[in-house]
Amino acid sequence: MDREEIVWVRKEDARVPGKLPIVYSKSYAVRFHGLERLHPFNAAKGKHIHKALCAELSLVEGSFYEPEELTKHQLRRIHTREYLRSLRWSLNVARIAEVSLMAFVPNKYLQQAYLRPMRFQAAGSILAGKLALDYGWAINLGGGFHHCCSNRGGGFCPYADISLLIVRLFEQEPCRVRRIMIVDLDAHQGNGHERDFNNWETVFILDIYNAFIYPRDHAAKLSIRCGLPARCGHLQCRHRCPQGRSPGEPGHLRRGGPGARPIGV
């Protein structure tokens, strides 16, 4: 079976009776001797949610879909070669994870304890996207790395799973997916996907965030069509469409849409 097919969705798993369109793997767990607790983000939340769902709904391990780890080749569909190479340096990984002590940890260990689980979580977002088309809904108990774009990570987000999911949906489901809306309700601005989808008329971004906290990325804000910064208290909506083009028409996109060149390639 082709590796791309496994990450997207296993054919034998499609609409399997007894399975819910919820994606989770034990490989999501980020563990590096407690250093992960130095960041306010709860790296074990997926595990806790999985445990609660099993208890509340009387589910078993086989009730969930499990992704395979993303390969370097698949990550290159979004990320630049330079960015992926930068993750070989512990100092860069520590900056992204926002845990300064990680800069003194051998990179080989960070690859296994932090970046590998994040690659599984990113793959889970892609799998959930395909399952949503088949089931009508889907949830990934990980991922959502909205601070990472094609050439830069940050805010505990090393891989741009949202961007990767959207590009793959446009490429592999052109008949069913023509436009996508990102609804970002995290307290922080989703500057990663906003940078990747600047001038994509096929991607509509709604972002509700606190304008006084990280990342305060003013350049990325230009991609927000409908936003609610905490400082103003009211929605700021706009719809941009270049003259002579209709929304969603690939010809007027600067960096994307179905059939466009990969971001960062």
Side-chain angles (χ1 to χ4, degrees):
M1 183 178 295
D2 188 273
R3 178 81 179 185
E4 294 283 327
E5 189 176 278
I6 293 175
V7 174
W8 188 238
V9 62
R10 292 185 177 93
K11 283 186 176 179
E12 63 268 25
D13 278 349
R15 296 300 302 239
V16 173
K19 278 186 179 287
L20 290 173
I22 300 176
V23 184
Y24 175 74
S25 170
K26 291 181 179 179
S27 297
Y28 283 13
V30 175
R31 302 188 187 94
F32 32 92
H33 298 295
L35 286 181
E36 69 275 11
R37 298 192 186 96
L38 296 177
H39 192 280
F41 179 83
N42 184 356
K45 68 176 183 178
K47 174 183 176 181
H48 299 323
I49 296 172
H50 174 263
K51 183 178 180 180
L53 287 174
C54 289
E56 185 71 21
L57 302 177
S58 300
L59 301 175
V60 296
E61 293 293 332
S63 301
F64 301 84
Y65 286 87
E66 291 190 35
E68 295 286 337
E69 180 183 358
L70 284 176
T71 66
K72 180 180 179 180
H73 172 72
Q74 290 156 350
L75 291 169
R76 280 281 294 126
R77 183 61 189 86
I78 286 294
H79 290 295
T80 63
R81 184 176 286 106
E82 292 73 21
Y83 173 70
L84 294 178
R85 286 175 178 170
S86 75
L87 298 180
R88 300 175 186 175
W89 299 93
S90 295
L91 182 63
N92 294 329
V93 177
R95 178 189 60 79
I96 293 170
E98 298 181 332
V99 178
S100 57
L101 289 179
M102 288 174 61
F104 304 98
V105 177
N107 187 261
K108 182 178 180 180
Y109 184 70
L110 295 182
Q111 292 288 336
Q112 186 67 23
Y114 173 61
L115 293 174
R116 183 172 183 267
M118 293 304 196
R119 288 192 291 270
F120 270 95
Q121 292 190 35
S125 297
I126 299 169
L127 176 54
K130 179 59 170 65
L131 292 173
L133 294 179
D134 295 335
Y135 283 84
W137 67 279
I139 299 171
N140 179 27
L141 301 184
F145 304 136
H146 67 162
H147 294 308
C148 186
C149 63
S150 63
N151 61 359
R152 185 174 67 184
F156 212 75
C157 302
Y159 300 113
D161 63 326
I162 299 173
S163 301
L164 185 56
L165 164 62
I166 290 174
V167 168
R168 288 174 69 89
L169 281 173
F170 279 144
E171 289 178 344
Q172 300 193 14
E173 299 288 347
C175 295
R176 292 201 285 174
V177 180
R178 297 180 181 274
R179 298 181 187 177
I180 287 177
M181 181 177 185
I182 299 174
V183 180
D184 194 334
L185 304 180
D186 187 87
H188 303 89
Q189 177 197 354
N191 61 318
H193 58 73
E194 289 164 8
R195 282 182 170 272
D196 281 342
F197 295 109
N198 181 32
N199 280 358
W200 284 52
E201 292 298 331
T202 48
V203 179
F204 187 100
I205 299 176
L206 185 156
D207 196 353
I208 298 177
Y209 60 94
N210 185 336
F212 294 104
I213 61 176
Y214 177 90
R216 290 183 285 188
D217 191 332
H218 299 289
K221 290 178 184 178
L222 297 175
S223 299
I224 301 174
R225 307 277 199 90
C226 193
L228 181 58
R231 66 185 178 207
C232 66
H234 65 276
L235 285 173
Q236 297 178 337
C237 298
R238 59 194 175 91
H239 180 75
R240 295 171 294 138
C241 185
Q243 186 175 5
R245 300 283 186 179
S246 60
E249 185 177 348
H252 72 268
L253 303 180
R254 180 166 64 88
R255 289 188 66 194
R261 286 176 57 81
I263 298 175
V265 174

